[in-house]
Amino acid sequence: MNWAFLQGLLSGVNKYSTAFGRVWLSVVFLFRVMVFVVAAEKVWGDEQKDFTCNTAQPGCHNVCYDFFFPVSHVRLWALQLIFVTCPSLLVVLHVAYREERERKHQLKYGEGCQRLYQNTGKKRGGLWWTYVLSLIFKMGVDATFIYLLYYLYAGYDFPSMVKCTQDPCPNTVDCFISRPTEKRIFTLFMVITSLVCILLSFFEILYLMGKRCCECVSKLQGSKQVARATAIQNTNSLLETNTKRMVGKGEPAPQYMVTVAL
């Protein structure tokens, strides 16, 4: 399977990611995609061929294999990697939409007009929500496939021998799985890396929300300071106006004491 498309896609979204997002990309490529392409496909390449049962009953071998392996691990992981990386495409498309909108705006009003976005790749407004929702979707996909893997195979273990009683097997048949230890190790490795990716996405969501809260608090404090400075300036202007009026009438200038609540 050619993963060049996903590599190019995620490399493009890397510049819009936070530090947690870049670590997530590294984990996906180094510990999931590379391990999947280099090792996992070869380990599971002969799974049906080397799945043997101690019976010559026609059809028993295929039925038992389908019972214990309803979906191939390799195909399940391939779907997981595709679904977990595709949300990044939404971020790239959203940035491309902003850039196109900015280009049309400048063509209409000239290059010297006020920009719609100071930085089209900055996570503000709708792009912030798109990025956060993509993280939530990634977490949901990884969690769903971890559960499916546990549900379909009754755990993450690979016994050396399984007993099959499915029709058309004449009786209880012993079937043997090829490379059970190696497959167990790779399965646990893929599950652990999926959990690490879930944690990284969760921490990135917390980071984005915390950063947004700090920005909102800073804006609120800045607005209060501006309002306070404006009130002081207006009060001083009013006092100067009243003083000038009193002096113009020949009356002594009154003494004021201004108290501003901070």
Side-chain angles (χ1 to χ4, degrees):
M1 187 173 182
N2 188 3
W3 296 93
F5 171 73
L6 290 179
Q7 181 179 2
L9 170 64
L10 295 184
S11 297
V13 78
N14 188 38
K15 57 184 177 181
Y16 309 123
S17 303
T18 63
F20 290 104
R22 294 185 181 94
V23 174
W24 182 90
L25 287 173
S26 301
V27 172
V28 169
F29 274 110
L30 295 178
F31 299 103
R32 296 179 70 174
V33 175
M34 293 299 294
V35 170
F36 174 82
V37 173
V38 174
E41 284 186 320
K42 295 181 180 180
V43 172
W44 268 270
D46 58 351
E47 53 180 336
Q48 187 171 5
K49 177 182 176 182
D50 292 342
F51 182 83
T52 57
C53 299
N54 59 354
T55 181
Q57 178 70 26
C60 180
H61 173 271
N62 292 334
V63 170
C64 291
Y65 177 81
D66 183 70
F67 177 77
F68 290 107
F69 299 98
V71 181
S72 172
H73 282 69
V74 174
R75 294 177 179 86
L76 195 65
W77 286 331
L79 287 175
Q80 180 181 2
L81 290 173
I82 292 173
F83 278 113
V84 84
T85 52
C86 280
S88 301
L89 180 62
L90 296 177
V91 179
V92 176
L93 291 177
H94 199 144
V95 174
Y97 164 76
R98 282 186 164 190
E99 292 175 349
E100 180 65 16
R101 188 181 176 191
E102 185 67 38
R103 185 185 67 83
K104 291 181 178 180
H105 179 74
Q106 292 185 2
L107 288 176
K108 184 177 180 180
Y109 297 101
E111 294 184 359
C113 65
Q114 184 178 2
R115 294 175 58 90
L116 294 176
Y117 307 99
Q118 296 298 326
N119 185 357
T120 55
K122 195 171 185 179
K123 290 180 283 295
R124 292 291 183 275
L127 183 60
W128 188 88
W129 286 104
T130 301
Y131 194 88
V132 171
L133 290 176
S134 69
L135 294 176
I136 295 174
F137 186 81
K138 291 175 186 177
M139 293 174 58
V141 168
D142 276 331
T144 300
F145 275 90
I146 290 175
Y147 172 76
L148 282 177
L149 195 65
Y150 183 86
Y151 176 78
L152 291 175
Y153 304 107
Y156 307 118
D157 192 19
F158 274 87
S160 301
M161 182 187 68
V162 292
K163 293 184 178 295
C164 179
T165 58
Q166 303 296 310
D167 293 331
C169 298
N171 47 36
T172 301
V173 176
D174 295 332
C175 297
F176 302 91
I177 301 174
S178 65
R179 302 176 180 174
T181 303
E182 194 173 9
K183 290 180 179 179
R184 184 186 308 116
I185 293 173
F186 275 106
T187 301
L188 292 175
F189 179 84
M190 296 297 283
V191 170
I192 291 173
T193 52
S194 297
L195 292 174
V196 171
C197 288
I198 291 176
L199 289 177
L200 288 172
S201 297
F202 178 73
F203 290 145
E204 188 171 8
I205 291 175
L206 292 180
Y207 169 77
L208 291 172
M209 294 181 65
K211 186 177 179 181
R212 176 55 63 89
C213 291
C214 291
E215 290 176 353
C216 291
V217 171
S218 298
K219 284 184 178 180
L220 184 61
Q221 291 178 350
S223 300
K224 288 182 177 180
Q225 291 177 357
V226 170
R228 190 178 301 138
T230 303
I232 294 174
Q233 185 178 1
N234 292 336
T235 303
N236 291 336
S237 299
L238 180 61
L239 293 177
E240 290 178 1
T241 302
N242 291 336
T243 302
K244 290 180 180 179
R245 288 178 181 177
M246 298 295 290
V247 171
K249 294 179 180 180
E251 299 178 3
Q255 301 294 326
Y256 296 97
M257 180 179 294
V258 180
T259 303
V260 180
L262 298 178

